Amino acid sequence: SAVTDIKVDVGKPSSINIALEIGAANETVTVVGGGELLQSQTATIGTTLTGRQITDLPTASRDALDLVLAMPGTTTPGRPRTSSINGLPKGSLNITLDGVNVQDNTLKSSDGFFTYIRPRTDAIAEVTTSTSNPGAESSGEGAFQIKFATQGGSNEYHGGGYWYYRTPGLNSNYWFNNRDLAADPATGKAPRTPIILNQPGFKIGGPISIPKLFSGKDRAFFFVNYEEFRLPESTLRTRNVLTAQAQTGVYRFLSSNFNTTGTPVTCTGSGTSRLCSVNVFSVAAGTPGLAFANADPTISGLLSEIRGSLSGAAVRGSGDPNIDQATFVNNGFQLRRFPTVRLDFNVTKNHHVENIWNYQSFGSNVDFLNARDPQFPGFPNHGSQTSIRFSNVTAWRWTISNNLVNEARYGITGGTLLFFGEVNAGQF
């Protein structure tokens, strides 16, 4: 007899009861069912996404963890990384890839919805969440379990490729930019953050075969997934700068009743719009005991560089007569690579060995994530972020009998992470 389409989920036991009538020796009884089975083997409560559910759910990041945002109980007050589940604290989450924890466990209690190794959408065969009563396989590591399983090869070759592209020509400006920023006289439109994104990738899997030497059908399989994330980053910034008059030492203030008699202060206008000004350097020059009559040359030079860097920026008043607000675009670039390789071997009919390897490279010349981009256009005071991350999982499964299976699994994660390779932008 043949029984097909039995649903098997990660971390959940699956079984089916079969009752067959006596038939002729050459007859085959095919049982086909489309209904969900009542889960009677475990008290675990959970949800599973597989196949087209994973690839068809729209996620701009192509990070498989974002799939959990669509599951019941998930609350996301901001970016996906801020998510919580069932109102539980971040430290109660446990996220595994092929049975090995992939969180940044240094910050798990405050940043639990984040993975050091990031599962990619096209590399994942299944994601299962359990919200109650996790089994012994979960090792008591958290009240909420998120389990990813990497795709594997089969007896047939399957693959695919894609290239996702995002450009400002296909996107409108942010509503807040249109509301808050003055329009560019040349275009009549508010400044915008130009976003250009390229995400190429491919995947392929099948039997490991060498023509005329070795056929891996039913014995050896491979799966490879590769993805790139190319992002010429741009972020719109608004900074406070001294006005041109303030840089020369002319301090201005609004006053409806300031008495200028006997002072170096001059005022124009009347009422609440009466604007007064005084040259503080001239005052210093005429005051005994004060040793300066001009700006410090280092500070003066820095202020001149700031003002010169804003030649292409939109500069407007701030309401303070000594402060202008400059709006400009800071530019950077990110390149991320995500290769995944899985190998499966049926050594004998009772012994299965698998190995899954992930290598992830993150590089950026400006760290926008932590707001370490240049304080002003072209300034060198900015940070960068570079990271190399890897994981490897090896497992051996021994089918001892029809009712007894033993599995040994070993995994390792590691890498390097470098923040702020250049001067911190907070110095200005």
Side-chain angles (χ1 to χ4, degrees), residues 63-65 81 94-97 101-104 111-120 146 148 360 362 389:
D63 189 332
L65 183 60
R81 193 164 165 176
N94 187 54
I95 306 174
T96 61
L97 177 60
N101 182 277
V102 290
Q103 292 168 283
D104 183 350
D111 199 11
F113 201 89
F114 170 72
T115 55
Y116 184 70
I117 303 298
R118 300 188 178 182
R120 311 312 298 167
I146 304 175
F148 294 95
Q360 301 185 352
F362 297 74
R389 312 173 188 183

Side-chain angles (χ1 to χ4, degrees), residues 99-389:
V100 174
N101 182 277
V102 290
Q103 292 168 283
D104 183 350
N105 288 288
T106 303
L107 304 173
K108 181 176 178 179
S109 60
S110 60
D111 199 11
F113 201 89
F114 170 72
T115 55
Y116 184 70
I117 303 298
R118 300 188 178 182
R120 311 312 298 167
T121 299
D122 270 36
I124 294 300
E126 181 176 325
V127 52
T128 293
T129 63
S130 59
T131 59
S132 178
N133 301 319
E137 81 289 340
S138 299
S139 305
E141 293 184 355
F144 192 94
Q145 302 284 327
I146 304 175
K147 303 173 184 179
F148 294 95
T150 302
Q151 288 191 43
S154 64
N155 277 336
E156 297 181 352
Y157 291 104
H158 293 281
Y162 57 86
W163 192 304
Y164 290 90
Y165 177 64
R166 182 177 178 182
T167 177
L170 302 176
N171 296 277
S172 61
N173 201 352
Y174 291 115
W175 184 85
F176 292 102
N177 287 352
N178 290 327
R179 185 194 68 174
D180 299 336
L181 302 179
D184 185 339
T187 63
K189 299 179 180 179
R192 62 181 298 170
T193 302
I195 299 177
I196 300 175
L197 174 62
N198 286 277
Q199 288 179 283
F202 70 90
K203 64 178 180 179
I204 186 172
I208 300 174
S209 297
I210 302 176
K212 299 182 180 180
L213 293 177
F214 175 77
S215 176
K217 287 192 174 182
D218 297 324
R219 300 168 60 189
F221 312 95
F222 77 95
F223 173 79
V224 175
N225 183 78
Y226 179 82
E227 178 176 337
E228 282 191 3
F229 184 101
R230 305 176 187 174
L231 179 60
E233 292 182 296
S234 299
T235 295
L236 202 65
R237 294 298 192 197
T238 298
R239 312 283 197 200
N240 290 335
V241 295
L242 290 177
T243 62
Q245 294 92 333
Q247 285 187 213
T248 63
V250 176
Y251 175 73
R252 301 187 298 169
F253 59 96
L254 294 170
S255 175
S256 59
N257 56 8
F258 186 87
N259 185 0
T260 62
T261 303
T263 71
V265 178
T266 60
C267 297
T268 58
S270 60
T272 57
S273 61
R274 185 169 180 252
L275 183 63
C276 302
S277 63
V278 59
N279 190 315
V280 295
F281 294 140
S282 298
V283 173
T287 303
L290 292 181
F292 64 91
N294 294 291
D296 179 270
T298 301
I299 296 177
S300 178
L302 178 59
L303 293 176
S304 296
E305 287 184 26
I306 291 174
R307 178 61 62 171
S309 72
L310 301 176
S311 58
V315 181
R316 64 186 186 281
S318 65
D320 184 324
N322 301 295
I323 299 294
D324 281 337
Q325 286 190 328
T327 300
F328 54 90
V329 175
N330 269 338
N331 296 307
F333 183 77
Q334 280 193 54
L335 176 59
R336 303 178 182 179
R337 296 185 174 97
F338 303 93
T340 299
V341 178
R342 174 169 178 154
L343 302 175
D344 291 87
F345 301 96
N346 294 323
V347 182
T348 69
K349 68 175 183 178
N350 293 329
H351 295 275
H352 174 87
V353 176
E354 63 188 44
N355 191 85
I356 305 101
W357 174 80
N358 285 279
Y359 178 90
Q360 301 185 352
S361 169
F362 297 74
S364 66
N365 58 5
V366 175
D367 185 8
F368 287 101
L369 177 63
N370 296 286
R372 292 299 186 262
D373 51 302
Q375 193 73 0
F376 297 99
F379 268 45
N381 61 320
H382 64 84
S384 61
Q385 183 179 157
T386 303
S387 179
I388 302 295
R389 312 173 188 183

